[in-house]
Amino acid sequence: MTDTQTPAYLQDAAQLLTESGFTTSNVWYHGTASGLIESIKTHGLKQSGDAESNERAKKTMSTIGGSYKEHKDPIFLTQSKELAFYWALQATKTRNLRFGGNEAPVVIEANLTEKMNELVKPDVGAAAMLLIGNDYTDKVNEIYQANKLAAPDINPSSADRMEYLNKLGLAYIKKGIPSENLIVLSE
């Protein structure tokens, strides 16, 4: 397996992908790095949850005389394990570069209550990705093509918000997800 090949147990697009995009339910996925798993098991998923990376950024900014303002990023979610694995690879790559570690990508399943599920929103902040094209849009196109569907053609200046969720699998929640709602996926 290459570092970009999705493991078989995470390949779910064939069950989720339709001509209208990815189906949704109250089950969502989050991609992360293995170095964060113990904290997630204890504290759940939190906004701006990689405290170690945030602390490093804060120290770097103070070292070079800059200022650092903490902000709360939402928790990014997707309805597909395959797409979550893509984001897990990105998180792992970043943490391994910053900390010189040997972390691995991990996908977490989040089972949300109806009330929490209502808080999940389409991530329209991804419009910039569509304008410049990148690895993520390439991955989405690859998944569509593998399932014999036309890749999404979304115009960021006129797209409906729901296209980011349905067609691209991009969502977020601005509320922490307790550990009892989470399952770390493995073979």
Side-chain angles (χ1 to χ4, degrees):
M1 175 177 87
T2 67
D3 65 348
T4 58
Q5 184 179 358
T6 306
Y9 76 98
L10 296 175
Q11 294 178 11
D12 63 351
Q15 293 81 36
L16 295 173
L17 196 55
T18 69
E19 288 184 20
S20 301
F22 292 92
T23 59
T24 60
S25 68
N26 67 327
V27 178
W28 297 89
Y29 300 96
H30 178 79
T32 192
S34 58
L36 299 171
I37 294 303
E38 287 311 311
S39 177
I40 291 169
K41 285 180 178 179
T42 303
H43 305 289
L45 284 171
K46 296 185 170 278
Q47 291 180 255
S48 299
D50 190 347
E52 201 174 7
S53 286
N54 293 340
E55 187 58 33
R56 176 161 265 180
K58 185 177 182 177
K59 284 181 183 178
T60 300
M61 291 307 291
S62 67
T63 299
I64 63 172
S67 64
Y68 178 80
K69 183 175 188 258
E70 288 197 38
H71 61 284
K72 283 195 170 189
D73 287 330
I75 298 166
F76 295 100
L77 300 170
T78 181
Q79 57 273 60
S80 167
K81 292 179 242 181
E82 285 186 61
L83 295 176
F85 183 73
Y86 171 86
W87 292 115
L89 285 169
Q90 304 315 303
T92 301
K93 180 190 230 179
T94 299
R95 284 187 55 86
N96 285 341
L97 283 172
R98 285 188 182 153
F99 303 113
N102 193 23
E103 295 186 28
V106 178
V107 173
I108 297 172
E109 179 178 303
N111 294 284
L112 303 184
T113 64
E114 288 304 316
K115 189 173 183 174
M116 286 181 74
N117 205 40
E118 291 172 6
L119 300 175
V120 176
K121 305 291 180 208
D123 184 5
V124 296
M129 288 193 309
L130 296 177
L131 290 172
I132 59 172
N134 64 20
D135 290 345
Y136 182 73
T137 53
D138 292 346
K139 180 64 176 176
V140 170
N141 291 342
E142 176 187 305
I143 290 171
Y144 272 82
Q145 291 166 1
N147 288 281
K148 298 178 179 32
L149 293 168
D153 183 23
I154 298 174
N155 180 342
S157 62
S158 62
D160 180 90
R161 296 178 59 85
M162 293 307 290
E163 286 188 274
Y164 291 91
L165 174 66
N166 297 332
K167 300 279 186 171
L168 300 175
L170 295 168
Y172 69 87
I173 187 169
K174 286 188 170 184
K175 181 177 173 73
I177 303 173
S179 58
E180 58 265 16
N181 294 78
L182 304 173
I183 300 169
V184 176
L185 301 181
S186 62
E187 287 185 89

